[in-house]
Amino acid sequence: IFFSVMASMKTFLGAFSVLAAAVTVGLLLNIDPRRRAEIMLETEEFVQRWWIQDPNKVSDRTAAGVAKIRHFETIFPVEGEERRLFQDPYAEYFYAGSTLVNWLPKRALMRLVGDQSVGLMLLLAGRTAFFDEQVKAAVAAGVKQVVILGAGYDTRGIRLGLPKDVTVFEMDQKDLQEKKKSTLE
């Protein structure tokens, strides 16, 4: 039933997809983790087949996935002696479902993500923090040009508050960069 309802709502992605995602999240939190993983894979395949696969467009799946992880790091509550690795106030604009994620409690979100994905999330968040620190150190040492290869939806050039005399060049697929630019404008 879920898939047929989603197929009929294909043209009304906005509010309806958020509602469907909220219902799905509520259902997924109460089932066996293995079955939850199967359902999530089936849902992802369905969404890819019906909404995302456009042979005339470049896929932004990786860029959106990494943006999602940067968004998670930005919104997760920090407790006690913990400190946030970085802030990316733009990440939420680059993946579907970010509005829903903002409302989920940390514990529910982590249960939904699953144990295997937590490691990947930590790796990518750590990598982002490491690259941020490298760019800051290079600029502090006098570097005036930064080149980011495979930039995806990274917003390092604007979120690090680099001096005005530092130029950031981003290299990635043209369609992806155009989408990023239009989203940020």
Side-chain angles (χ1 to χ4, degrees), residues 15-184:
F16 291 115
S17 65
V18 171
L19 176 62
V23 170
T24 304
V25 168
L27 295 173
L28 290 177
L29 293 177
N30 296 317
I31 62 173
D32 176 66
R34 281 188 221 120
R35 181 64 189 132
R36 181 174 66 222
E38 290 171 2
I39 291 171
M40 290 176 74
L41 284 174
E42 291 167 4
T43 304
E44 180 180 4
E45 289 171 5
F46 175 81
V47 169
Q48 288 291 324
R49 185 170 47 252
W50 287 97
W51 289 320
I52 298 173
Q53 293 295 342
D54 183 344
N56 299 316
K57 291 186 179 179
V58 174
S59 172
D60 69 343
R61 196 166 137 184
T62 300
V66 176
K68 183 185 300 184
I69 290 168
R70 288 195 316 274
H71 184 219
F72 287 179
E73 175 62 24
T74 300
I75 64 170
F76 276 173
V78 178
E79 301 167 359
E81 296 294 313
E82 294 177 353
R83 71 177 185 85
R84 199 169 305 289
L85 294 174
F86 55 85
Q87 290 271 100
D88 188 343
Y90 308 101
E92 70 179 292
Y93 301 109
F94 293 106
Y95 73 95
S98 62
T99 305
L100 176 65
V101 168
N102 287 325
W103 291 93
L104 287 175
K106 180 179 179 180
R107 170 176 262 158
L109 188 57
M110 294 309 290
R111 283 176 42 196
L112 183 63
V113 168
D115 293 337
Q116 295 83 9
S117 296
V118 170
L120 179 61
M121 286 176 57
L122 294 173
L123 170 76
L124 293 174
R127 181 184 77 172
T128 298
F130 176 77
F131 287 152
D132 286 355
E133 294 304 317
Q134 294 302 308
V135 169
K136 289 178 192 174
V139 169
V143 168
K144 299 295 181 199
Q145 295 181 347
V146 177
V147 178
I148 303 173
L149 300 176
Y153 291 144
D154 185 75
T155 56
R156 191 170 280 119
I158 55 176
R159 69 181 168 81
L160 291 183
L162 301 174
K164 298 260 185 238
D165 63 340
V166 174
T167 304
V168 177
F169 298 95
E170 294 185 348
M171 307 293 285
D172 210 319
Q173 300 171 61
K174 182 181 177 189
D175 292 347
L176 191 67
Q177 288 296 289
E178 287 173 358
K179 183 175 178 184
K180 177 172 151 180
K181 193 182 291 187
S182 71
T183 300
L184 291 171

Side-chain angles (χ1 to χ4, degrees), residues 1-10 16-17 20-21 46-47 51:
I1 294 173
F2 175 74
F3 291 117
S4 63
V5 169
M6 294 299 283
S8 66
M9 294 171 27
K10 182 176 170 183
F16 291 115
S17 65
F46 175 81
V47 169
W51 289 320

